[in-house]
Amino acid sequence: MKIKSLGRSIYLIVFLLLAAFILFFRSDAYGEERLKFIDKVNTVTAGDTLQVTVNRSDAIFTLSNDKAFVDSNGLIQTKKYGKVRITATSGGESVSYVLQIKPKAVIGIDPGHQQTGNYSTEPIGPGATQKKTAVAAGTSGVSTGKPEYKLTLEIAKKLKKELISRGYRVVLTRKKNNVNITNMERALLLNEECDCAIRLHADGIDNAAVTGAGALYPSTSNPYVGKLSDVSRNLSECVLNSYCEATGLRNRGLSLRDDLTGTNWSTIPVTLLEMGFMTNSSDDNFMSSVSGQEKMVKGIADGVDQFF
């Protein structure tokens, strides 16, 4: 009995070793080695196209999320920044690796104003003796009654989502209305990691007939950010023209402004977009409508695409 038992044990061990050998060193119908990727690329930029290949022609490729798309031939079209796992499967065997997708750029968005204004003062630029109010509450809609600070945050959140879908990373200076962040602090925050800054505002004036959108940027003689004038003009032009084309709002053109604290503390290309007049009934209603906001967001995002 002991001999028979020992024999069965030996057979079982041999069988298990043989199975392990086959699994590890198996050859498929083509006589190829174990499934593996060929010339892996580990990092790309959002929007790039990448061809992934393995050592078998019948492999099926899948991705772990919607940050990219892959066809049956392993051609990957990247879309959003982040990480995606690429998996190849053939003959019951799978291999995978993680692809890092870098953002096209990092976009800073400052939704202008806040729920309660901070009427203390701060320098209008680095080393300045002149001071201005830290941050005001803004205007409000003549028809909607909506405060400017609510409108700018609505657009900022929707714009963030749209830009992410286009391959950018986005930094907001605020995510809620009840904050206390000065204009200088907002600029310094965006300077840390962004490639450009878009300051969102809406206009107000005593004349209810005045309509349209405009963009503000610093002049070449600005003592704080004069060196950013040309590139900020380019950014302003791209954003404003695309915005007005998408929305149909009157294009009031570009204006030079050297007294804006949030601009003067910037170390990156910066524009202040006046999205429309909340003191004009037509502009006001448009900027708060669902369809209007969709067009506004598309226009700004198109301008960012054009700039980069």
Side-chain angles (χ1 to χ4, degrees):
M1 294 294 291
K2 290 183 178 180
I3 294 175
K4 289 184 177 179
S5 178
L6 180 60
R8 291 194 190 96
S9 297
I10 292 173
Y11 285 135
L12 179 59
I13 292 171
V14 171
F15 175 79
L16 290 175
L17 288 173
L18 181 61
F21 180 85
I22 291 172
L23 286 173
F24 192 79
F25 295 102
R26 82 169 181 87
S27 295
D28 61 14
Y30 303 102
E32 294 175 328
E33 59 186 331
R34 288 177 61 81
L35 182 64
K36 66 179 181 180
F37 286 97
I38 300 173
D39 297 328
K40 285 192 302 185
V41 174
N42 295 302
T43 305
V44 295
T45 299
D48 287 351
T49 299
L50 172 66
Q51 178 66 59
V52 292
T53 56
V54 293
N55 57 336
R56 296 183 198 159
S57 60
D58 64 342
I60 297 173
F61 298 93
T62 56
L63 303 179
S64 61
N65 55 49
D66 66 351
K67 297 184 186 300
F69 302 95
V70 63
D71 68 12
S72 59
N73 297 313
L75 184 65
I76 296 177
Q77 178 63 57
T78 60
K79 187 177 181 183
K80 306 175 186 177
Y81 81 92
K83 295 180 179 179
V84 59
R85 180 170 291 278
I86 305 169
T87 300
T89 303
S90 171
E93 189 179 2
S94 295
V95 290
S96 67
Y97 79 97
V98 175
L99 175 69
Q100 177 71 50
I101 306 173
K102 299 186 298 183
K104 294 178 179 178
V106 183
I107 311 301
I109 302 175
D110 176 27
H113 305 289
Q114 59 192 33
Q115 185 172 318
T116 303
N118 177 350
Y119 294 98
S120 63
T121 59
E122 61 184 0
I124 67 167
T129 56
Q130 181 183 351
K131 295 184 176 182
K132 287 182 64 175
T133 296
V135 59
T139 188
S140 59
V142 66
S143 295
T144 63
K146 180 179 292 184
E148 182 182 355
Y149 66 81
K150 283 189 176 181
L151 174 66
T152 59
L153 186 58
E154 286 176 0
I155 300 301
K157 288 181 175 180
K158 293 180 179 181
L159 179 58
K160 177 180 179 179
K161 184 177 180 180
E162 176 65 21
L163 288 172
I164 288 175
S165 76
R166 298 189 185 204
Y168 300 95
R169 185 163 75 85
V170 178
V171 177
L172 297 182
T173 58
R174 65 181 178 94
K175 299 177 182 178
K176 58 183 182 179
N177 293 314
N178 187 19
V179 297
N180 186 18
I181 310 173
T182 72
N183 287 320
M184 179 182 72
E185 291 170 340
R186 295 173 190 226
L188 295 177
L189 172 66
L190 299 185
N191 289 343
E192 291 180 5
E193 52 184 326
C194 299
D195 297 305
C196 74
I198 299 174
R199 306 180 62 205
L200 299 177
H201 285 258
D203 241 328
I205 196 172
D206 291 338
N207 186 350
V210 178
T211 66
L216 314 179
Y217 73 101
S219 74
T220 55
S221 59
N222 185 300
Y224 314 107
V225 289
K227 64 182 180 180
L228 295 175
S229 179
D230 289 344
V231 68
S232 294
R233 177 188 173 89
N234 185 23
L235 173 63
S236 300
E237 197 167 49
C238 289
V239 170
L240 179 62
N241 290 346
S242 294
Y243 178 82
C244 291
E245 181 178 349
T247 60
L249 292 174
R250 178 190 174 194
N251 189 333
R252 298 178 60 84
L254 307 180
S255 298
L256 293 169
R257 287 286 296 274
D258 291 334
D259 61 333
L260 303 174
T261 306
T263 295
N264 293 343
W265 281 93
S266 290
T267 57
I268 54 178
V270 57
T271 185
L272 189 154
L273 177 66
E274 294 284 9
M275 301 181 292
F277 279 81
M278 299 192 81
T279 46
N280 175 269
S281 180
S282 177
D283 279 10
D284 181 34
N285 286 320
F286 175 84
M287 290 188 291
S288 281
S289 68
V290 173
S291 61
Q293 291 192 354
E294 288 176 354
K295 294 174 182 177
M296 293 163 73
V297 166
K298 180 184 182 303
I300 299 171
D302 287 348
V304 171
D305 279 343
Q306 185 179 343
F307 178 72
F308 285 100

